[in-house]
Amino acid sequence: MISNQLTNKRVLLGVTGGIAAYKSAEICRRLQDEGAEVRTAMTAAAQEFITPLTLQALSKNPVHLDLLDPETESAMGHIELARWADLILIAPASANFISRLAQGRGDDLLTAICLAADCKVAIAPAMNRSMWEKEVTQKNLAQTKSVGISVFAPGEGEQACGETGVGRLLDVPDIILLACELFETGVLSGKKVVVTAGPTREAIDPIRYISNHSSGKQGYAIAEAAAEAGANVVLISGPTNLPKPDRAQLIKVESAGQMLDAVLDQVPGTDVFISVAAVADFKTKLTAPNKIKKNVNGNLTIELSRTPDILSEVTKIKGNHLFTVGFAAETENLLENANSKLKEKKLDMIVANDVSDSEIGFNSDLNEATVLTPKTSINLPKANKTQLARNLIEIISEQLAGFGTDARARS
Ligand code: CTP
């Protein structure tokens, strides 16, 4: 059964030489099914049993083969690969590889990656039963375990060499299960979360626009925190100067209209929609096709019209499965205004934010908020936006636990 327990996890699958190497293709696919991003590395001997092309096609990434290949090392070298991975899984791991791992060697790509790793490392041994039973193999295994490497012990049964005993590569579903167990389940594991962030820009003419002071910092921090919690995150952002959050899909937009289209595109399959963007409420009724010149008729009057209310459009079509969270940016009557928006926009939760206080306002790194639901009010004390985002994601996940049943009861 798919648990999505590896959502957002990066797994480097290392393949060593042995007949079970052909099973690495299946391992790669099943890791992906659990939500993992997979890269692969092979020893020279592994390439005698399965072609790099197979793993390249399945992982959709080049296969890493050589320690001393300047081309691959300059693209993503052994140190970068070790830093990239959350888990290095060597499956199958041959007796020879385990012996070299136990010695702390670093004279080929896969051993060098393991030596450089600070992340979780696991091996799934596969070998002939006599090789498995040898004292030296068991000593090597004990040594690898003693340095914190997990060993997914082999199964018993008929072996490719025709003998019967312990040494077969563990069945693929069991390897995947053990890999999943190395990670705690994130509170939003497998959920799709869409976040809007930043300001929008409404064009006046080709070079001018109406916008606001939103920096996007809080929305980006929420996208990061949701990804950290195991969610598949789509961040739909107006123009900001911020780097793309790690492990979130970023869709860049400019205007409220474009943001609405991008959001509506994403709604199917979404579990949580968090509308943090400071969407412009007005746009020019007509956008001038050319630069407006200052020597027209003295003063200039621009007629404005309302932009779509993205959040309300979403709650109109959302059905019972989508949990919606709004932000109320207020300069006065914070809780009263936030409560009205909660009701009017038919939200499941709103985060009331006092933007008149410059210490916690649009461009600051700090924030403080009150989270309101139809039944509860929770204060999020002043903290940096990253911490506040994590606290908010925790609250959303708690609310989400009872949400399906509550929503069905309400309808
Ligand atoms: N919002 C939206 N689309 C808009 C305006 C706002 O989706 N055109 C969302 C914001 O992302 C936020 C919530 O609605 O989650 C409240 O936004 P806010 O600017 O506080 O309030 P408004 O609804 O714009 O109302 P007002 O300007 O009167 O305070």
Side-chain angles (χ1 to χ4, degrees), residues 6 13 71 89 143 146 154 162 164 180 214 235 244 275 297 305 318-319 368 380 398 404:
L6 298 178
L13 176 62
E71 211 171 282
L89 171 63
Q143 170 63 19
S146 76
T164 303
C180 289
S214 169
L235 172 62
K244 175 186 159 328
S275 182
N297 289 324
S305 64
K318 78 183 185 87
E368 182 179 358
L380 293 179
E398 282 163 16

Side-chain angles (χ1 to χ4, degrees), residues 275 277 279-281 307-311 326-329 341 345:
S275 182
V279 186
D281 290 325
T307 56
D309 189 307
I310 300 171
L311 200 41
F327 267 67
K341 287 176 188 171
K345 301 195 187 209

Side-chain angles (χ1 to χ4, degrees), residues 181-192:
E181 280 175 13
L182 293 175
F183 296 98
E184 277 178 32
T185 314
V187 290
L188 292 180
S189 267
K191 302 280 183 208
K192 178 177 171 186

Side-chain angles (χ1 to χ4, degrees), residues 198-202 210-212 256 277-283 306-308:
T200 63
R201 285 179 183 171
E202 312 304 326
I210 301 168
S211 192
N212 58 62
V279 186
D281 290 325
F282 294 96
K283 63 182 174 107
R306 284 283 300 272
T307 56

Side-chain angles (χ1 to χ4, degrees), residues 185-251:
T185 314
V187 290
L188 292 180
S189 267
K191 302 280 183 208
K192 178 177 171 186
V193 175
V194 174
V195 181
T196 64
T200 63
R201 285 179 183 171
E202 312 304 326
I204 296 171
D205 67 14
I207 55 169
R208 303 180 180 95
Y209 54 80
I210 301 168
S211 192
N212 58 62
H213 289 296
S214 169
S215 64
K217 284 178 187 169
Q218 188 62 77
Y220 276 55
I222 288 170
E224 289 250 23
E228 243 174 52
N232 276 312
V233 180
V234 180
L235 172 62
I236 301 172
S237 173
T240 72
N241 291 322
L242 302 172
K244 175 186 159 328
D246 206 17
R247 305 174 201 222
Q249 182 194 338
L250 176 64
I251 300 175

Side-chain angles (χ1 to χ4, degrees), residues 14 47 67 176 292 360 390:
Q47 295 166 54
L67 180 59
I176 303 302
I292 299 170
I360 56 169
R390 288 185 182 141

Side-chain angles (χ1 to χ4, degrees), residues 287-330:
T287 304
N290 294 307
K291 184 183 175 195
I292 299 170
K293 304 302 282 181
K294 68 170 170 271
N295 56 358
V296 266
N297 289 324
N299 290 340
L300 173 68
T301 303
I302 298 175
E303 207 180 337
L304 301 179
S305 64
R306 284 283 300 272
T307 56
D309 189 307
I310 300 171
L311 200 41
S312 301
E313 293 301 318
V314 170
T315 53
K316 260 189 228 161
I317 59 157
K318 78 183 185 87
N320 280 341
H321 70 285
L322 175 57
F323 190 85
T324 45
V325 183
F327 267 67
E330 305 294 343

